[in-house]
Amino acid sequence: MGRAPVNGKRSPPPPPPPGRCHFWLPNKRRHCANSSLPSSQYCGNHLPESASGAGRRVPCPVDPSHTVLEENLEAHVGKCPLKKQVAALTAQPYYSRGINSGAGEPGCGVTSAEKRAAVYRLTEEEFRSLLGKIRSVHAAASAAIRESYLITGACDKWMSGQVDRMVPYQEKHVVQQASIVGNMETFGLLRKGSDEVVDGKNAAVSAQAVVEFGAGRGYLTQVLVDCYGITNVFLVERRSYKLKADRSLRQNEDVTLERLRIDIEDLKLHGIEALRGLQYLAIGKHLCGPATDMTMMCCLPERYDQTEENSKHSLQGLALATCCHHLCQWKHYTNKSFLLGLGITEEEFHAMTWFSSWAVDGDHSYPDSPVEVEDTSSEVRELEKLDQDTIGIERIIRSIPAGERASLGSMCKDIIDTGRLLWLGQKGLVADLVSYVPSKISPENRLLIAKCTS
C-alpha cells in the first residue's frame, strides 16, 4: 500500500538501499536495482547527462531496451551483442515485420503519458461529456460478461499440487490456468479428460497442436499437456525467462516443443514449418493491451499467401485472457469500425484506454484509491505547472469516488473487449466473453473464447 498523503501531498519515495542507484522507476514503484557508480548516486544507465561529462544517450537501434552515448552509436551498432540475434530472427521464414500490426505502422504507439496529457487538455465540459458518452455507449452496445469460473476434473492433478517439484507452483496462477482450460473444455475446444487411447493418441485431445501467445514461462501450456494430452507445442514470447516449463515439457517424450522468441506483431504462422497441416488451438493468459489484437490478426490473417496447399494450417479455436487495456493502441485495434459506428474517435479511444486502469487500481493516484503510488518528483513539478483547465480536470477526477472510477474503468474495458468479440464473430467464429476467475483472485479476469464452425 502507498503512504498516506501529508497535507494533501504524498511523501517522496523512500531512499534506496545503500550502494544502489537512486533512479526511481515509477512503473515498478521502486529504485533501479543496479549498483551506483563510485563517484555518483546513479548507475551508468541512469547517470544524468550533466553529471556524466559526456554527450546525450540514445536508444540502440538494434535493441531500444538499452542506450548508448550518441557519439559512440555508430561503433556500437556494429558490435551490439544482439545484432546477430536480430539478424538470425529476420532470416526466419516465420518473420515478417509488422504483419500483425493492423493498419498502423509497426513500432511504438501513443504512450500512457501522452494519453494522460491529452485527457488533461480537455475542457471540463469536454471531459464530462466524454464520461457521459462512455456510460451511454456501454449501456447501448457492451456485451454482457457472464461469470464462468470453471475447474474441471481433468485438472485435479494440478489443483492438488501433484506436479513436478521443479515446476514453480503458485495456487493463484494454477487456479487461473485451470479455469481457462476448464472454459475451453466446456466451450468444446477440448474433450473431457480420458485415459482412452485411440490410434495411439489420447482421446481427450481435440486439436493436434497448441500455440501459446505471450507464453512467458509456458505453464498454461504445461497444464494442457499434463491434463489434456496435447503433444505439439509452440510457445511464442519475445522475452527471455528463467524457470520455464520447457525443461519439464522436453522431458516428456510424447511432446514436440518449439519456442519462438519473436514479437507477436512480426509473427507469420504460415511460416512455421512444423505447424503446417496441423489443427491448432491459440491460447494466451497474459496478452497485454494490443497483444490481444495482434494475436487475433495472427490467427485469422487476411494477408498470408497460401498458394501452397501443404502450407495451410487450421485454427480450431482460441482462448485469450485480455489484460492491461491501458496499453491498447488505436492503430492495432481490430474493430475500429465498431467504435467509429458508436461515435468514438481515435482520441476518445486512447482516453478510454487511460481510464481503463481505474478498474484495476483506482488510477494509482488519488487519496481514496485502493492502491496508492507516490508521485515522482518530476510528476510533482509537472502538477505545479498545470494551467487552470488542467487543474479543473484533476479536481473532477479527484472528486469521483473510487468505486465510481472503478466502474467507469470497467465500462471502458467492456467496450474494448466487446469490439474484439464482434470482430471474431465477423470472421465466422462462435465467440463468447466471460469472467473466468473472481476479481479477488485477479482483477484482470476477462477471457475471449471462440471456436471455428467449419
Side-chain angles (χ1 to χ4, degrees):
M1 296 291 289
R3 292 178 296 282
V6 178
N7 297 327
K9 295 183 180 179
R10 261 174 284 286
S11 57
R20 286 263 291 274
C21 176
H22 282 234
F23 188 84
W24 178 255
L25 303 169
N27 290 338
K28 296 184 177 180
R29 310 176 202 174
R30 63 168 175 80
H31 290 91
C32 169
N34 293 334
S35 299
S36 59
L37 296 175
S39 58
S40 173
Q41 293 181 328
Y42 300 93
C43 68
N45 288 332
H46 297 128
L47 189 66
E49 293 176 17
S50 59
S52 66
R56 187 168 65 101
R57 298 188 71 88
V58 295
C60 169
V62 177
D63 175 27
S65 67
H66 66 278
T67 61
V68 63
L69 291 174
E70 191 170 25
E71 59 265 32
N72 297 337
L73 182 60
E74 184 176 353
H76 171 81
V77 168
K79 61 183 180 182
C80 179
L82 292 175
K83 186 175 182 180
K84 289 184 178 180
Q85 179 180 315
V86 171
L89 173 62
T90 56
Q92 296 296 330
Y94 53 77
Y95 176 87
S96 181
R97 185 173 184 267
I99 192 170
N100 302 314
S101 62
E105 289 297 317
C108 297
V110 182
T111 66
S112 292
E114 290 169 337
K115 292 176 181 180
R116 176 184 183 276
V119 169
Y120 277 60
R121 283 196 296 269
L122 298 174
T123 65
E124 292 189 32
E125 182 179 356
E126 290 171 335
F127 182 79
R128 293 183 189 279
S129 176
L130 177 56
L131 296 187
K133 177 185 279 192
I134 291 170
R135 292 187 178 98
S136 62
V137 166
H138 183 269
S142 178
I145 303 177
R146 60 183 178 85
E147 300 290 328
S148 187
Y149 179 38
L150 299 173
I151 307 293
T152 65
C155 291
D156 285 347
K157 174 182 176 181
W158 271 81
M159 292 300 295
S160 61
Q162 297 175 17
V163 294
D164 183 346
R165 280 199 271 174
M166 295 299 292
V167 173
Y169 184 90
Q170 291 183 301
E171 184 177 358
K172 172 183 175 180
H173 296 300
V174 170
V175 165
Q176 294 175 61
Q177 292 156 354
S179 186
I180 288 174
V181 299
N183 274 279
M184 292 172 69
E185 179 182 309
T186 303
F187 201 69
L189 299 183
L190 295 166
R191 300 195 186 112
K192 290 184 179 180
S194 169
D195 293 328
E196 181 185 357
V197 175
V198 178
D199 294 331
K201 295 183 179 180
N202 190 320
V205 178
S206 56
Q208 297 168 302
V210 61
V211 182
E212 183 176 357
F213 291 85
R217 294 179 174 87
Y219 287 106
L220 177 57
T221 291
Q222 176 88 62
V223 173
L224 278 175
V225 169
D226 288 351
C227 302
Y228 290 88
I230 297 288
T231 56
N232 293 291
V233 171
F234 300 85
L235 303 178
V236 179
E237 174 58 59
R238 65 182 179 180
R239 292 176 55 192
S240 176
Y241 282 89
K242 296 180 179 179
L243 301 175
K244 298 189 292 287
D246 301 35
R247 182 197 62 82
S248 176
L249 291 170
R250 293 188 194 281
Q251 288 180 350
N252 187 331
E253 295 180 355
D254 296 327
V255 173
T256 300
L257 168 66
E258 185 169 348
R259 179 175 279 271
L260 307 171
R261 189 173 176 185
I262 185 173
D263 196 307
I264 299 169
E265 185 175 10
D266 304 322
L267 176 62
K268 182 171 65 173
L269 283 182
H270 166 64
I272 303 176
E273 184 175 352
L275 188 61
R276 291 179 182 178
L278 297 181
Q279 296 177 336
Y280 74 97
L281 298 172
I283 61 172
K285 179 178 177 286
H286 195 79
L287 289 169
C288 295
T292 296
D293 301 293
M294 293 177 187
T295 296
M296 290 161 57
M297 286 186 279
C298 184
C299 296
L300 297 163
E302 296 178 349
R303 292 180 286 172
Y304 290 179
D305 177 12
Q306 293 192 343
T307 55
E308 297 181 24
E309 188 65 28
N310 65 355
S311 70
K312 294 184 180 179
H313 46 68
S314 175
L315 173 70
Q316 297 299 292
L318 53 82
L320 309 177
T322 68
C323 70
C324 305
H325 294 71
H326 63 283
L327 298 175
C328 289
Q329 300 290 330
W330 176 264
K331 67 178 184 175
H332 299 311
Y333 187 63
T334 47
N335 205 348
K336 299 182 186 70
S337 60
F338 163 71
L339 297 179
L340 292 171
L342 295 170
I344 296 176
T345 66
E346 178 179 348
E347 292 74 19
E348 289 170 336
F349 172 80
H350 282 140
M352 285 171 49
T353 65
W354 190 73
F355 297 153
S356 71
S357 67
W358 295 350
V360 179
D361 54 24
D363 192 42
H364 288 297
S365 51
Y366 304 110
D368 57 349
S369 299
V371 179
E372 293 181 29
V373 178
E374 304 79 3
D375 291 326
T376 64
S377 57
S378 62
E379 289 173 331
V380 172
R381 289 194 296 272
E382 183 181 347
L383 286 174
E384 291 173 349
K385 298 177 182 177
L386 297 179
D387 59 30
Q388 199 60 42
D389 283 338
T390 303
I391 293 174
I393 300 300
E394 177 77 7
R395 184 175 61 251
I396 294 172
I397 296 176
R398 287 178 181 271
S399 71
I400 303 174
E404 186 177 343
R405 281 202 306 272
S407 177
L408 280 164
S410 292
M411 290 180 188
C412 294
K413 285 175 170 282
D414 291 347
I415 294 169
I416 292 169
D417 283 340
T418 294
R420 291 163 165 168
L421 177 71
L422 295 174
W423 188 86
L424 290 171
Q426 293 166 7
K427 295 294 183 180
L429 281 73
V430 177
D432 200 1
L433 178 63
V434 301
S435 172
Y436 72 98
V437 290
S439 58
K440 65 181 180 181
I441 295 177
S442 174
E444 297 282 23
N445 59 356
R446 297 154 186 270
L447 182 70
L448 268 175
I449 190 164
K451 60 183 176 183
C452 297
T453 56
S454 59

